[in-house]
Amino acid sequence: MSQRSRTPVAALAAVLALLAAACTDVGGGVRGTPGAAGLRDPYFPKLGNGGYDVGHYGLALAYDPASGRLDGTAEITARATQDLSAFNLDLAGLTVRRATVDGAPAAYNRAGNELTLRPREELPEGAEFRATVTYSGVPEPLTDADGSEEGWLRTTGGAVAVGEPAGSMTWFPGNHHPSDKASYDLTLTLPAGVDGISNGVRTTRRTEPDGRVTTVWHTAEPMASYLATVAIGRYETATATALGTVPVLTAAEPPAAAGSAALRKEIPGILARQVKRFGPYPFSAAGAVVTGNGSLGYALETQTRPVFPADSFDRTTLVHEQAHQWFGNSVTPRTWRDIWLNEGFATYAEWLYSEEYEHVPARTRFERAFAQDANWAFPPAAPPAAENLFDPPVYQRGAMVLHKLRETVGDRVFDEIMRGWPAKYRHANATTDDFTAYAESVAGRDLDALWDVWLYGDKKPDAP
């Protein structure tokens, strides 16, 4: 993400009592236990859910831009990680019309942003199951702790959906924590003349008998739900090929289309340069979406197809969001405390790009960041609260950590780390401890002195 200018968990006994009271059993004896309502993330303890692991989301969405109404069906294929009598999905607002598990009606209950499903029969540990939820309503955005808006954002004539860190729950039910990644198929039905863009590869475009147009988008590689996107409106599109085989689809709303066309054409070249630094491109599609100004206050690295408001679509931001395809999208943080692994790396990608192609040494960028007091408000690996996840230390001081690592181990070893890290954790989740251990294994030496000062230290060193 481009830098934004912008309750405790209930006791388990109380949760179980609530489920027993509120869910009406629709069938025979259930002997398992409910999955946890939340994964105890350091900043969002109720985000995500326990007891299962999602493998695939099949989302069918119909949207009416005039009324703002969304009609959706989410088919979630998952594997039980315990004997389950009930499990939760994150869903904000919207009205659930029906729920099934493996084709049989399931009881369901709403409590805040928690949707609890109780299947007719117990789901044994290790079993694959399919939960289907039919829902509708007018999605409302979420206001984050830092004051920015995310989720389903209405625009003039359409909408744009962005989800970092929790906004995807405003438009589909799911396990909305970055530690549970899945593949996606998204079917989007819209009025004629209204375009719909999403992640991955567009596999189908057809006109329905009622005149509406349906497109189907396939994301084969695992994706954290906060990286899912939909852009609805009138868009001008362009196609190209990157890296010999990767299809590139870009889309821009008419006010921004002409002004963004030249830079959109640079995406294949930018990806080719990043492949040299970071290793093979991790996805089967690429591109960008440029929206009009006013609806979205920041750019976001939505997987394969980052989203930009028109006034943020510049080369530096494009380099940043494309670098996230490796750092954040393929290698995804295990918890939101590890967000510097996204933003520090993408910021350093900017520094590497400007060093190689604009002749501004990364050391110069480092010294500028060192001099800014805002970058020393807290250590990049320990944001104090949710409202600080997108503050300067996560970005700038996170990049400073990487530059000090480069100066400490030398360019050859550093380049090996920058290519090997996204290879080792390709399409997986990782923590800060995973990274420091990996860097030390490649360097062949203890780097605690570096981490203690630059990654975890509370005080600014006397000299850069």
Side-chain angles (χ1 to χ4, degrees):
M1 175 187 282
S2 62
Q3 194 164 332
R4 294 184 182 179
S5 50
R6 65 171 195 164
T7 59
V9 180
L12 180 57
V15 173
L16 294 175
L18 199 79
L19 287 169
C23 289
T24 302
D25 197 357
V26 297
V30 176
R31 301 176 303 279
T33 56
L39 293 178
R40 298 181 182 269
D41 185 272
Y43 305 104
F44 309 98
K46 295 299 292 290
L47 196 62
N49 302 283
Y52 64 95
D53 178 69
V54 178
H56 181 74
Y57 288 95
L59 305 177
L61 307 176
Y63 185 63
D64 177 19
S67 66
R69 179 184 172 89
L70 177 71
D71 290 284
T73 299
E75 185 177 275
I76 301 164
T77 304
R79 179 181 56 84
T81 57
Q82 66 180 64
D83 291 339
L84 278 175
S85 61
F87 59 92
N88 283 23
L89 300 167
D90 303 309
L91 181 65
L94 303 174
T95 299
V96 174
R97 305 294 182 187
R98 185 171 182 265
T100 64
V101 175
D102 289 334
Y108 58 88
N109 174 66
R110 299 294 298 276
N113 294 335
E114 298 291 336
L115 168 64
T116 303
L117 270 61
R118 192 177 185 91
R120 176 170 289 173
E121 302 291 341
E122 176 189 79
L123 299 171
E125 181 179 358
E128 184 176 271
F129 64 93
R130 186 180 71 257
T132 303
V133 179
T134 303
Y135 59 98
S136 62
V138 177
E140 296 291 339
L142 299 180
T143 300
D144 291 337
D146 63 4
S148 60
E149 284 196 334
E150 57 159 330
W152 190 275
L153 308 175
R154 292 186 70 176
T155 64
T156 302
V160 60
V162 290
E164 189 177 33
S168 293
M169 72 168 71
T170 66
W171 57 283
F172 68 96
N175 199 14
H176 290 301
H177 189 268
S179 61
D180 194 0
K181 300 165 69 170
S183 60
Y184 282 71
D185 283 287
L186 187 146
T187 301
L188 188 59
T189 300
L190 301 168
V194 178
D195 300 305
I197 312 294
S198 189
N199 312 85
V201 177
R202 184 171 60 194
T203 61
T204 301
R205 188 182 189 278
R206 64 177 181 266
T207 300
E208 305 293 350
D210 62 6
R212 293 185 300 170
V213 176
T214 294
T215 54
V216 180
W217 300 83
H218 177 61
T219 300
E221 299 86 4
M223 178 168 70
S225 65
Y226 80 89
L227 298 169
T229 190
V230 170
I232 296 169
R234 297 185 183 277
Y235 283 88
E236 294 183 14
T237 61
T239 59
T241 302
L243 309 170
T245 59
V246 177
V248 178
L249 173 66
T250 64
E253 289 192 293
S260 67
L263 184 55
R264 286 187 282 137
K265 289 179 181 178
E266 292 189 31
I267 290 175
I270 288 171
L271 291 177
R273 295 178 182 119
Q274 290 180 326
V275 162
K276 293 179 182 178
R277 285 283 192 178
F278 311 140
Y281 182 67
F283 301 112
S284 53
V289 175
V290 184
T291 70
N293 294 318
S295 57
L296 182 63
Y298 47 86
L300 184 66
E301 63 271 19
T302 44
Q303 192 159 303
T304 69
R305 197 154 289 116
V307 178
F308 306 80
D311 57 8
S312 294
F313 190 62
D314 55 67
R315 186 171 290 102
T316 297
T317 308
L318 180 58
V319 166
H320 180 107
E321 306 304 343
Q322 295 294 356
H324 273 308
Q325 306 308 310
W326 286 262
F327 306 110
N329 296 10
S330 180
V331 184
T332 304
R334 192 168 299 164
T335 76
W336 285 108
R337 178 170 286 155
D338 303 305
I339 187 66
W340 85 275
L341 293 173
N342 295 16
E343 303 302 349
F345 278 69
T347 301
Y348 199 67
E350 297 175 33
W351 296 10
L352 291 173
Y353 185 90
S354 64
E355 179 175 70
E356 188 166 357
Y357 300 103
E358 297 172 353
H359 310 296
V360 179
R363 179 70 191 187
T364 299
R365 302 286 295 271
F366 171 86
E367 290 174 353
R368 291 172 185 168
F370 182 88
Q372 296 173 7
D373 290 342
N375 292 329
W376 298 95
F378 57 83
E387 59 262 33
N388 305 116
L389 290 181
F390 305 105
D391 282 359
V394 174
Y395 292 72
Q396 298 294 321
R397 192 169 160 194
M400 292 166 68
V401 171
L402 296 175
H403 190 74
K404 289 303 292 187
L405 175 62
R406 178 184 176 184
E407 292 186 333
T408 301
V409 303
D411 279 0
R412 182 188 63 79
V413 173
F414 180 75
D415 287 346
E416 185 179 349
I417 292 169
M418 292 297 281
R419 290 177 61 88
W421 169 248
K424 180 176 177 63
Y425 289 93
R426 183 180 175 94
H427 301 317
N429 294 89
T431 67
T432 297
D433 286 346
D434 291 330
F435 175 71
T436 57
Y438 177 77
E440 290 181 350
S441 72
V442 175
R445 55 189 286 195
D446 184 288
L447 297 170
D448 281 352
L450 189 158
W451 312 133
D452 289 347
V453 173
W454 297 94
L455 185 56
Y456 295 109
D458 291 318
K459 294 183 180 180
K460 181 179 180 179
D462 292 334

